[in-house]
Structures are given as structure tokens and as C-alpha cells.
mmCIF file of all heavy atoms in Angstrom:
data_model
loop_
_atom_site.group_PDB
_atom_site.id
_atom_site.type_symbol
_atom_site.label_atom_id
_atom_site.label_comp_id
_atom_site.label_asym_id
_atom_site.label_seq_id
_atom_site.Cartn_x
_atom_site.Cartn_y
_atom_site.Cartn_z
ATOM 1 N N MET Y 16 -11.293 -80.233 -23.879
ATOM 2 C CA MET Y 16 -12.127 -79.648 -24.908
ATOM 3 C C MET Y 16 -13.596 -79.729 -24.509
ATOM 4 O O MET Y 16 -14.030 -80.756 -23.976
ATOM 5 C CB MET Y 16 -11.898 -80.357 -26.231
ATOM 6 C CG MET Y 16 -12.213 -79.464 -27.421
ATOM 7 S SD MET Y 16 -11.668 -80.207 -28.973
ATOM 8 C CE MET Y 16 -13.100 -81.257 -29.329
ATOM 9 N N LYS Y 17 -14.313 -78.676 -24.782
ATOM 10 C CA LYS Y 17 -15.722 -78.655 -24.432
ATOM 11 C C LYS Y 17 -16.533 -79.484 -25.434
ATOM 12 O O LYS Y 17 -16.273 -79.434 -26.632
ATOM 13 C CB LYS Y 17 -16.221 -77.203 -24.420
ATOM 14 C CG LYS Y 17 -17.204 -76.935 -23.306
ATOM 15 C CD LYS Y 17 -17.663 -75.490 -23.398
ATOM 16 C CE LYS Y 17 -19.132 -75.423 -23.011
ATOM 17 N NZ LYS Y 17 -19.715 -74.114 -23.307
ATOM 18 N N GLU Y 18 -17.506 -80.152 -24.900
ATOM 19 C CA GLU Y 18 -18.420 -80.932 -25.762
ATOM 20 C C GLU Y 18 -19.245 -79.954 -26.621
ATOM 21 O O GLU Y 18 -19.787 -78.996 -26.106
ATOM 22 C CB GLU Y 18 -19.353 -81.761 -24.851
ATOM 23 C CG GLU Y 18 -20.103 -82.828 -25.601
ATOM 24 C CD GLU Y 18 -19.289 -84.108 -25.759
ATOM 25 O OE1 GLU Y 18 -18.253 -84.242 -25.066
ATOM 26 O OE2 GLU Y 18 -19.680 -84.930 -26.542
ATOM 27 N N SER Y 19 -19.267 -80.202 -27.888
ATOM 28 C CA SER Y 19 -20.021 -79.301 -28.756
ATOM 29 C C SER Y 19 -21.515 -79.589 -28.701
ATOM 30 O O SER Y 19 -21.921 -80.722 -28.492
ATOM 31 C CB SER Y 19 -19.513 -79.392 -30.186
ATOM 32 O OG SER Y 19 -19.794 -80.659 -30.716
ATOM 33 N N ASN Y 20 -22.287 -78.543 -28.876
ATOM 34 C CA ASN Y 20 -23.736 -78.725 -28.834
ATOM 35 C C ASN Y 20 -24.319 -78.890 -30.224
ATOM 36 O O ASN Y 20 -25.299 -78.229 -30.605
ATOM 37 C CB ASN Y 20 -24.371 -77.531 -28.129
ATOM 38 C CG ASN Y 20 -23.967 -77.453 -26.705
ATOM 39 O OD1 ASN Y 20 -23.835 -78.477 -26.014
ATOM 40 N ND2 ASN Y 20 -23.693 -76.258 -26.215
ATOM 41 N N VAL Y 21 -23.694 -79.743 -30.990
ATOM 42 C CA VAL Y 21 -24.166 -79.967 -32.324
ATOM 43 C C VAL Y 21 -24.668 -81.400 -32.443
ATOM 44 O O VAL Y 21 -24.045 -82.354 -31.946
ATOM 45 C CB VAL Y 21 -23.060 -79.733 -33.358
ATOM 46 C CG1 VAL Y 21 -23.499 -80.117 -34.758
ATOM 47 C CG2 VAL Y 21 -22.641 -78.258 -33.347
ATOM 48 N N LYS Y 22 -25.814 -81.551 -33.055
ATOM 49 C CA LYS Y 22 -26.411 -82.845 -33.254
ATOM 50 C C LYS Y 22 -26.581 -83.052 -34.756
ATOM 51 O O LYS Y 22 -26.928 -82.120 -35.459
ATOM 52 C CB LYS Y 22 -27.787 -82.834 -32.554
ATOM 53 C CG LYS Y 22 -28.109 -84.093 -31.818
ATOM 54 C CD LYS Y 22 -29.420 -83.904 -31.120
ATOM 55 C CE LYS Y 22 -29.856 -85.206 -30.472
ATOM 56 N NZ LYS Y 22 -31.160 -85.076 -29.845
ATOM 57 N N ILE Y 23 -26.355 -84.262 -35.217
ATOM 58 C CA ILE Y 23 -26.580 -84.526 -36.620
ATOM 59 C C ILE Y 23 -28.011 -85.072 -36.767
ATOM 60 O O ILE Y 23 -28.328 -86.132 -36.197
ATOM 61 C CB ILE Y 23 -25.599 -85.577 -37.154
ATOM 62 C CG1 ILE Y 23 -24.127 -85.203 -36.773
ATOM 63 C CG2 ILE Y 23 -25.708 -85.699 -38.669
ATOM 64 C CD1 ILE Y 23 -23.608 -83.927 -37.346
ATOM 65 N N VAL Y 24 -28.811 -84.322 -37.477
ATOM 66 C CA VAL Y 24 -30.227 -84.718 -37.640
ATOM 67 C C VAL Y 24 -30.603 -84.712 -39.118
ATOM 68 O O VAL Y 24 -29.986 -84.072 -39.959
ATOM 69 C CB VAL Y 24 -31.177 -83.803 -36.854
ATOM 70 C CG1 VAL Y 24 -30.955 -83.891 -35.372
ATOM 71 C CG2 VAL Y 24 -31.059 -82.369 -37.355
ATOM 72 N N CYS Y 25 -31.691 -85.418 -39.400
ATOM 73 C CA CYS Y 25 -32.184 -85.488 -40.748
ATOM 74 C C CYS Y 25 -32.947 -84.200 -41.089
ATOM 75 O O CYS Y 25 -33.710 -83.673 -40.296
ATOM 76 C CB CYS Y 25 -33.140 -86.679 -40.893
ATOM 77 S SG CYS Y 25 -33.980 -86.770 -42.464
ATOM 78 N N GLU Y 26 -32.667 -83.686 -42.286
ATOM 79 C CA GLU Y 26 -33.321 -82.474 -42.742
ATOM 80 C C GLU Y 26 -34.808 -82.708 -42.984
ATOM 81 O O GLU Y 26 -35.598 -81.750 -42.850
ATOM 82 C CB GLU Y 26 -32.665 -82.096 -44.104
ATOM 83 C CG GLU Y 26 -32.213 -80.689 -44.214
ATOM 84 C CD GLU Y 26 -31.444 -80.476 -45.517
ATOM 85 O OE1 GLU Y 26 -31.591 -81.278 -46.443
ATOM 86 O OE2 GLU Y 26 -30.701 -79.513 -45.569
ATOM 87 N N ASP Y 27 -35.169 -83.877 -43.336
ATOM 88 C CA ASP Y 27 -36.557 -84.149 -43.697
ATOM 89 C C ASP Y 27 -37.410 -84.554 -42.519
ATOM 90 O O ASP Y 27 -38.465 -83.964 -42.242
ATOM 91 C CB ASP Y 27 -36.609 -85.278 -44.734
ATOM 92 C CG ASP Y 27 -36.102 -84.805 -46.081
ATOM 93 O OD1 ASP Y 27 -35.963 -83.586 -46.265
ATOM 94 O OD2 ASP Y 27 -35.840 -85.641 -46.961
ATOM 95 N N CYS Y 28 -36.995 -85.551 -41.735
ATOM 96 C CA CYS Y 28 -37.865 -86.052 -40.671
ATOM 97 C C CYS Y 28 -37.399 -85.578 -39.293
ATOM 98 O O CYS Y 28 -38.124 -85.732 -38.315
ATOM 99 C CB CYS Y 28 -37.955 -87.585 -40.713
ATOM 100 S SG CYS Y 28 -36.452 -88.436 -40.234
ATOM 101 N N GLY Y 29 -36.202 -84.993 -39.206
ATOM 102 C CA GLY Y 29 -35.753 -84.434 -37.945
ATOM 103 C C GLY Y 29 -35.190 -85.485 -36.969
ATOM 104 O O GLY Y 29 -34.790 -85.166 -35.875
ATOM 105 N N LYS Y 30 -35.128 -86.716 -37.405
ATOM 106 C CA LYS Y 30 -34.589 -87.770 -36.561
ATOM 107 C C LYS Y 30 -33.061 -87.693 -36.496
ATOM 108 O O LYS Y 30 -32.448 -87.205 -37.426
ATOM 109 C CB LYS Y 30 -34.971 -89.160 -37.142
ATOM 110 C CG LYS Y 30 -36.144 -89.794 -36.434
ATOM 111 C CD LYS Y 30 -36.567 -91.024 -37.137
ATOM 112 C CE LYS Y 30 -35.715 -92.241 -36.821
ATOM 113 N NZ LYS Y 30 -36.296 -93.462 -37.429
ATOM 114 N N GLU Y 31 -32.500 -88.174 -35.414
ATOM 115 C CA GLU Y 31 -31.066 -88.186 -35.287
ATOM 116 C C GLU Y 31 -30.466 -89.109 -36.328
ATOM 117 O O GLU Y 31 -31.018 -90.174 -36.595
ATOM 118 C CB GLU Y 31 -30.665 -88.644 -33.891
ATOM 119 C CG GLU Y 31 -29.309 -88.097 -33.466
ATOM 120 C CD GLU Y 31 -28.987 -88.388 -32.003
ATOM 121 O OE1 GLU Y 31 -29.937 -88.589 -31.216
ATOM 122 O OE2 GLU Y 31 -27.811 -88.443 -31.680
ATOM 123 N N ALA Y 32 -29.365 -88.692 -36.904
ATOM 124 C CA ALA Y 32 -28.737 -89.501 -37.957
ATOM 125 C C ALA Y 32 -28.290 -90.844 -37.408
ATOM 126 O O ALA Y 32 -27.837 -90.940 -36.274
ATOM 127 C CB ALA Y 32 -27.545 -88.737 -38.526
ATOM 128 N N PRO Y 33 -28.405 -91.883 -38.207
ATOM 129 C CA PRO Y 33 -27.929 -93.196 -37.759
ATOM 130 C C PRO Y 33 -26.402 -93.200 -37.632
ATOM 131 O O PRO Y 33 -25.726 -92.571 -38.415
ATOM 132 C CB PRO Y 33 -28.379 -94.145 -38.858
ATOM 133 C CG PRO Y 33 -28.820 -93.318 -39.988
ATOM 134 C CD PRO Y 33 -28.996 -91.915 -39.558
ATOM 135 N N ILE Y 34 -25.920 -93.909 -36.641
ATOM 136 C CA ILE Y 34 -24.480 -93.999 -36.396
ATOM 137 C C ILE Y 34 -23.835 -94.929 -37.426
ATOM 138 O O ILE Y 34 -24.357 -96.015 -37.717
ATOM 139 C CB ILE Y 34 -24.184 -94.470 -34.956
ATOM 140 C CG1 ILE Y 34 -24.625 -93.385 -33.965
ATOM 141 C CG2 ILE Y 34 -22.712 -94.795 -34.780
ATOM 142 C CD1 ILE Y 34 -24.631 -93.868 -32.537
ATOM 143 N N ASP Y 35 -22.756 -94.424 -38.012
ATOM 144 C CA ASP Y 35 -22.004 -95.254 -38.963
ATOM 145 C C ASP Y 35 -20.939 -96.044 -38.176
ATOM 146 O O ASP Y 35 -19.884 -95.517 -37.838
ATOM 147 C CB ASP Y 35 -21.364 -94.371 -40.012
ATOM 148 C CG ASP Y 35 -20.818 -95.153 -41.171
ATOM 149 O OD1 ASP Y 35 -20.464 -96.346 -40.977
ATOM 150 O OD2 ASP Y 35 -20.715 -94.602 -42.277
ATOM 151 N N HIS Y 36 -21.266 -97.275 -37.866
ATOM 152 C CA HIS Y 36 -20.360 -98.056 -37.043
ATOM 153 C C HIS Y 36 -19.044 -98.404 -37.711
ATOM 154 O O HIS Y 36 -18.050 -98.657 -37.039
ATOM 155 C CB HIS Y 36 -21.070 -99.351 -36.603
ATOM 156 C CG HIS Y 36 -22.187 -99.094 -35.641
ATOM 157 N ND1 HIS Y 36 -21.988 -98.768 -34.336
ATOM 158 C CD2 HIS Y 36 -23.529 -99.038 -35.847
ATOM 159 C CE1 HIS Y 36 -23.174 -98.567 -33.737
ATOM 160 N NE2 HIS Y 36 -24.127 -98.722 -34.622
ATOM 161 N N LYS Y 37 -19.009 -98.370 -38.999
ATOM 162 C CA LYS Y 37 -17.774 -98.666 -39.730
ATOM 163 C C LYS Y 37 -16.784 -97.527 -39.586
ATOM 164 O O LYS Y 37 -15.566 -97.762 -39.543
ATOM 165 C CB LYS Y 37 -18.096 -98.892 -41.220
ATOM 166 C CG LYS Y 37 -18.635 -100.269 -41.504
ATOM 167 C CD LYS Y 37 -18.844 -100.462 -43.009
ATOM 168 C CE LYS Y 37 -19.677 -101.662 -43.304
ATOM 169 N NZ LYS Y 37 -20.097 -101.682 -44.705
ATOM 170 N N LYS Y 38 -17.302 -96.297 -39.564
ATOM 171 C CA LYS Y 38 -16.385 -95.118 -39.485
ATOM 172 C C LYS Y 38 -16.148 -94.659 -38.075
ATOM 173 O O LYS Y 38 -15.245 -93.892 -37.843
ATOM 174 C CB LYS Y 38 -16.983 -93.982 -40.310
ATOM 175 C CG LYS Y 38 -16.910 -94.219 -41.807
ATOM 176 C CD LYS Y 38 -17.450 -92.997 -42.542
ATOM 177 C CE LYS Y 38 -17.614 -93.286 -44.032
ATOM 178 N NZ LYS Y 38 -18.445 -92.252 -44.674
ATOM 179 N N SER Y 39 -16.968 -95.110 -37.140
ATOM 180 C CA SER Y 39 -16.812 -94.659 -35.762
ATOM 181 C C SER Y 39 -15.588 -95.280 -35.096
ATOM 182 O O SER Y 39 -15.211 -96.400 -35.426
ATOM 183 C CB SER Y 39 -18.050 -95.027 -34.959
ATOM 184 O OG SER Y 39 -19.164 -94.351 -35.436
ATOM 185 N N THR Y 40 -15.002 -94.530 -34.183
ATOM 186 C CA THR Y 40 -13.891 -95.052 -33.375
ATOM 187 C C THR Y 40 -14.305 -94.975 -31.916
ATOM 188 O O THR Y 40 -15.391 -94.488 -31.586
ATOM 189 C CB THR Y 40 -12.621 -94.231 -33.615
ATOM 190 O OG1 THR Y 40 -12.810 -92.921 -33.093
ATOM 191 C CG2 THR Y 40 -12.238 -94.180 -35.086
ATOM 192 N N GLU Y 41 -13.378 -95.386 -31.046
ATOM 193 C CA GLU Y 41 -13.662 -95.334 -29.627
ATOM 194 C C GLU Y 41 -13.917 -93.928 -29.150
ATOM 195 O O GLU Y 41 -14.694 -93.682 -28.239
ATOM 196 C CB GLU Y 41 -12.482 -95.896 -28.831
ATOM 197 C CG GLU Y 41 -12.536 -97.400 -28.654
ATOM 198 C CD GLU Y 41 -11.310 -97.904 -27.913
ATOM 199 O OE1 GLU Y 41 -10.958 -97.264 -26.891
ATOM 200 O OE2 GLU Y 41 -10.722 -98.887 -28.349
ATOM 201 N N ASN Y 42 -13.230 -92.973 -29.751
ATOM 202 C CA ASN Y 42 -13.307 -91.574 -29.299
ATOM 203 C C ASN Y 42 -14.191 -90.700 -30.153
ATOM 204 O O ASN Y 42 -14.377 -89.524 -29.861
ATOM 205 C CB ASN Y 42 -11.879 -90.982 -29.244
ATOM 206 C CG ASN Y 42 -10.967 -91.777 -28.414
ATOM 207 O OD1 ASN Y 42 -11.285 -92.106 -27.262
ATOM 208 N ND2 ASN Y 42 -9.807 -92.146 -28.936
ATOM 209 N N TRP Y 43 -14.671 -91.209 -31.231
ATOM 210 C CA TRP Y 43 -15.393 -90.356 -32.154
ATOM 211 C C TRP Y 43 -16.540 -91.137 -32.790
ATOM 212 O O TRP Y 43 -16.346 -92.251 -33.271
ATOM 213 C CB TRP Y 43 -14.417 -89.855 -33.204
ATOM 214 C CG TRP Y 43 -14.965 -88.915 -34.213
ATOM 215 C CD1 TRP Y 43 -15.405 -87.634 -33.961
ATOM 216 C CD2 TRP Y 43 -15.185 -89.142 -35.608
ATOM 217 N NE1 TRP Y 43 -15.879 -87.086 -35.117
ATOM 218 C CE2 TRP Y 43 -15.717 -87.973 -36.158
ATOM 219 C CE3 TRP Y 43 -14.931 -90.227 -36.455
ATOM 220 C CZ2 TRP Y 43 -16.048 -87.857 -37.478
ATOM 221 C CZ3 TRP Y 43 -15.271 -90.108 -37.786
ATOM 222 C CH2 TRP Y 43 -15.824 -88.942 -38.293
ATOM 223 N N ILE Y 44 -17.703 -90.541 -32.763
ATOM 224 C CA ILE Y 44 -18.847 -91.176 -33.373
ATOM 225 C C ILE Y 44 -19.118 -90.584 -34.728
ATOM 226 O O ILE Y 44 -19.309 -89.382 -34.851
ATOM 227 C CB ILE Y 44 -20.090 -91.011 -32.461
ATOM 228 C CG1 ILE Y 44 -19.862 -91.688 -31.094
ATOM 229 C CG2 ILE Y 44 -21.313 -91.636 -33.131
ATOM 230 C CD1 ILE Y 44 -20.902 -91.336 -30.070
ATOM 231 N N ALA Y 45 -19.116 -91.411 -35.744
ATOM 232 C CA ALA Y 45 -19.432 -90.969 -37.084
ATOM 233 C C ALA Y 45 -20.876 -91.242 -37.396
ATOM 234 O O ALA Y 45 -21.410 -92.310 -37.063
ATOM 235 C CB ALA Y 45 -18.529 -91.653 -38.088
ATOM 236 N N TYR Y 46 -21.498 -90.270 -38.047
ATOM 237 C CA TYR Y 46 -22.900 -90.446 -38.418
ATOM 238 C C TYR Y 46 -23.041 -90.592 -39.926
ATOM 239 O O TYR Y 46 -22.239 -90.002 -40.664
ATOM 240 C CB TYR Y 46 -23.742 -89.256 -37.933
ATOM 241 C CG TYR Y 46 -23.843 -89.159 -36.440
ATOM 242 C CD1 TYR Y 46 -22.966 -88.374 -35.719
ATOM 243 C CD2 TYR Y 46 -24.795 -89.934 -35.781
ATOM 244 C CE1 TYR Y 46 -23.046 -88.322 -34.323
ATOM 245 C CE2 TYR Y 46 -24.908 -89.854 -34.391
ATOM 246 C CZ TYR Y 46 -24.025 -89.066 -33.675
ATOM 247 O OH TYR Y 46 -24.084 -89.018 -32.324
ATOM 248 N N LYS Y 47 -24.013 -91.338 -40.331
ATOM 249 C CA LYS Y 47 -24.246 -91.502 -41.778
ATOM 250 C C LYS Y 47 -24.747 -90.208 -42.375
ATOM 251 O O LYS Y 47 -25.418 -89.440 -41.700
ATOM 252 C CB LYS Y 47 -25.226 -92.619 -42.006
ATOM 253 C CG LYS Y 47 -24.683 -93.977 -41.546
ATOM 254 C CD LYS Y 47 -25.598 -95.096 -41.925
ATOM 255 C CE LYS Y 47 -24.976 -96.430 -41.478
ATOM 256 N NZ LYS Y 47 -25.862 -97.553 -41.740
ATOM 257 N N ASP Y 48 -24.420 -89.971 -43.631
ATOM 258 C CA ASP Y 48 -24.877 -88.703 -44.261
ATOM 259 C C ASP Y 48 -26.258 -88.842 -44.849
ATOM 260 O O ASP Y 48 -26.779 -87.911 -45.439
ATOM 261 C CB ASP Y 48 -23.839 -88.182 -45.271
ATOM 262 C CG ASP Y 48 -23.479 -89.229 -46.310
ATOM 263 O OD1 ASP Y 48 -24.182 -90.256 -46.401
ATOM 264 O OD2 ASP Y 48 -22.479 -88.994 -47.024
ATOM 265 N N LYS Y 49 -26.843 -90.017 -44.679
ATOM 266 C CA LYS Y 49 -28.218 -90.165 -45.138
ATOM 267 C C LYS Y 49 -29.047 -90.858 -44.071
ATOM 268 O O LYS Y 49 -28.615 -91.799 -43.415
ATOM 269 C CB LYS Y 49 -28.229 -91.027 -46.400
ATOM 270 C CG LYS Y 49 -28.312 -90.159 -47.657
ATOM 271 C CD LYS Y 49 -28.837 -90.905 -48.815
ATOM 272 C CE LYS Y 49 -28.949 -89.999 -50.027
ATOM 273 N NZ LYS Y 49 -29.114 -90.748 -51.270
ATOM 274 N N CYS Y 50 -30.234 -90.330 -43.867
ATOM 275 C CA CYS Y 50 -31.167 -90.917 -42.915
ATOM 276 C C CYS Y 50 -31.797 -92.173 -43.507
ATOM 277 O O CYS Y 50 -31.756 -92.375 -44.700
ATOM 278 C CB CYS Y 50 -32.249 -89.878 -42.601
ATOM 279 S SG CYS Y 50 -33.532 -90.451 -41.504
ATOM 280 N N GLU Y 51 -32.405 -92.947 -42.621
ATOM 281 C CA GLU Y 51 -33.076 -94.142 -43.113
ATOM 282 C C GLU Y 51 -34.295 -93.822 -43.984
ATOM 283 O O GLU Y 51 -34.725 -94.625 -44.786
ATOM 284 C CB GLU Y 51 -33.488 -95.060 -41.950
ATOM 285 C CG GLU Y 51 -34.215 -94.336 -40.858
ATOM 286 C CD GLU Y 51 -34.250 -95.119 -39.519
ATOM 287 O OE1 GLU Y 51 -33.456 -96.078 -39.395
ATOM 288 O OE2 GLU Y 51 -35.077 -94.799 -38.686
ATOM 289 N N CYS Y 52 -34.817 -92.592 -43.879
ATOM 290 C CA CYS Y 52 -35.932 -92.169 -44.726
ATOM 291 C C CYS Y 52 -35.460 -91.681 -46.087
ATOM 292 O O CYS Y 52 -36.293 -91.413 -46.955
ATOM 293 C CB CYS Y 52 -36.760 -91.099 -44.024
ATOM 294 S SG CYS Y 52 -36.012 -89.445 -44.124
ATOM 295 N N GLY Y 53 -34.132 -91.582 -46.272
ATOM 296 C CA GLY Y 53 -33.600 -91.124 -47.527
ATOM 297 C C GLY Y 53 -33.225 -89.650 -47.513
ATOM 298 O O GLY Y 53 -32.663 -89.143 -48.474
ATOM 299 N N GLY Y 54 -33.557 -88.963 -46.435
ATOM 300 C CA GLY Y 54 -33.249 -87.542 -46.320
ATOM 301 C C GLY Y 54 -31.783 -87.313 -45.988
ATOM 302 O O GLY Y 54 -31.106 -88.223 -45.548
ATOM 303 N N LYS Y 55 -31.318 -86.095 -46.229
ATOM 304 C CA LYS Y 55 -29.955 -85.737 -45.972
ATOM 305 C C LYS Y 55 -29.808 -85.380 -44.488
ATOM 306 O O LYS Y 55 -30.670 -84.707 -43.925
ATOM 307 C CB LYS Y 55 -29.612 -84.538 -46.841
ATOM 308 C CG LYS Y 55 -28.141 -84.251 -47.006
ATOM 309 C CD LYS Y 55 -27.964 -83.042 -47.923
ATOM 310 C CE LYS Y 55 -26.750 -82.274 -47.491
ATOM 311 N NZ LYS Y 55 -26.762 -80.900 -48.015
ATOM 312 N N THR Y 56 -28.714 -85.805 -43.873
ATOM 313 C CA THR Y 56 -28.491 -85.445 -42.462
ATOM 314 C C THR Y 56 -27.573 -84.241 -42.390
ATOM 315 O O THR Y 56 -26.574 -84.161 -43.111
ATOM 316 C CB THR Y 56 -27.904 -86.618 -41.672
ATOM 317 O OG1 THR Y 56 -26.682 -87.079 -42.299
ATOM 318 C CG2 THR Y 56 -28.888 -87.784 -41.641
ATOM 319 N N VAL Y 57 -27.908 -83.320 -41.534
ATOM 320 C CA VAL Y 57 -27.153 -82.073 -41.389
ATOM 321 C C VAL Y 57 -26.883 -81.784 -39.928
ATOM 322 O O VAL Y 57 -27.643 -82.177 -39.048
ATOM 323 C CB VAL Y 57 -27.948 -80.887 -42.014
ATOM 324 C CG1 VAL Y 57 -28.027 -81.009 -43.529
ATOM 325 C CG2 VAL Y 57 -29.338 -80.776 -41.417
ATOM 326 N N PRO Y 58 -25.754 -81.074 -39.648
ATOM 327 C CA PRO Y 58 -25.469 -80.700 -38.268
ATOM 328 C C PRO Y 58 -26.419 -79.585 -37.815
ATOM 329 O O PRO Y 58 -26.743 -78.689 -38.571
ATOM 330 C CB PRO Y 58 -24.048 -80.180 -38.317
ATOM 331 C CG PRO Y 58 -23.552 -80.360 -39.712
ATOM 332 C CD PRO Y 58 -24.718 -80.665 -40.564
ATOM 333 N N LYS Y 59 -26.876 -79.694 -36.565
ATOM 334 C CA LYS Y 59 -27.789 -78.719 -36.042
ATOM 335 C C LYS Y 59 -27.386 -78.334 -34.656
ATOM 336 O O LYS Y 59 -27.040 -79.170 -33.828
ATOM 337 C CB LYS Y 59 -29.204 -79.354 -36.019
ATOM 338 C CG LYS Y 59 -30.308 -78.373 -35.767
ATOM 339 C CD LYS Y 59 -31.621 -79.111 -35.699
ATOM 340 C CE LYS Y 59 -32.743 -78.207 -35.188
ATOM 341 N NZ LYS Y 59 -33.953 -78.978 -34.944
ATOM 342 N N MET Y 60 -27.382 -77.048 -34.366
ATOM 343 C CA MET Y 60 -27.047 -76.551 -33.033
ATOM 344 C C MET Y 60 -28.211 -76.856 -32.101
ATOM 345 O O MET Y 60 -29.377 -76.668 -32.430
ATOM 346 C CB MET Y 60 -26.822 -75.050 -33.074
ATOM 347 C CG MET Y 60 -25.668 -74.630 -33.947
ATOM 348 S SD MET Y 60 -24.088 -75.096 -33.286
ATOM 349 C CE MET Y 60 -23.788 -73.738 -32.163
ATOM 350 N N ILE Y 61 -27.862 -77.305 -30.874
ATOM 351 C CA ILE Y 61 -28.934 -77.567 -29.927
ATOM 352 C C ILE Y 61 -28.705 -76.762 -28.650
ATOM 353 O O ILE Y 61 -27.695 -76.188 -28.453
ATOM 354 C CB ILE Y 61 -29.053 -79.076 -29.570
ATOM 355 C CG1 ILE Y 61 -27.682 -79.622 -29.160
ATOM 356 C CG2 ILE Y 61 -29.625 -79.846 -30.732
ATOM 357 C CD1 ILE Y 61 -27.779 -80.985 -28.476
HETATM 358 ZN ZN1 ZN I 125 -35.138 -88.849 -42.070
#
């Protein structure tokens, strides 16, 4: 499978979403749906 060119970033500050270590697995990285600034994190094509 091809690596997707999607990045999870904050809608407000544009920072990459923090990794949710509780939900992440060895093969899959889960990102939190809220940035540390309180903004919503959304998928963005890069
Ligand atoms: Zn933010």
C-alpha cells in the first residue's frame, strides 16, 4: 500500500497534531483530535 500524503494538522495554529500514544499501535499512529492550543485537528493533503 502506498503511503498517503495526508498530515493531521491543527486548524488554528497549523501545527502537527499531537500523537495519541494510548490509541497508537505498532503499525498505526493515532493523532489526537485536539491540538495543545485547543484548536481542532484536521487531515490535510501535503
Ligand atoms: Zn493548534
Side-chain angles (χ1 to χ4, degrees):
M16 205 171 85
K17 217 182 145 191
E18 193 84 15
S19 66
N20 296 320
V21 174
K22 222 176 174 183
I23 312 295
V24 296
C25 174
E26 230 173 20
D27 289 346
C28 70
K30 259 172 81 173
E31 206 173 335
I34 292 169
D35 192 333
H36 291 284
K37 281 184 194 168
K38 288 182 189 166
S39 296
T40 66
E41 274 179 45
N42 304 310
W43 183 68
I44 298 169
Y46 292 95
K47 295 186 179 177
D48 53 13
K49 264 202 177 165
C50 177
E51 49 197 16
C52 79
K55 197 179 147 199
T56 57
V57 291
K59 191 183 170 189
M60 298 290 277
I61 51 166

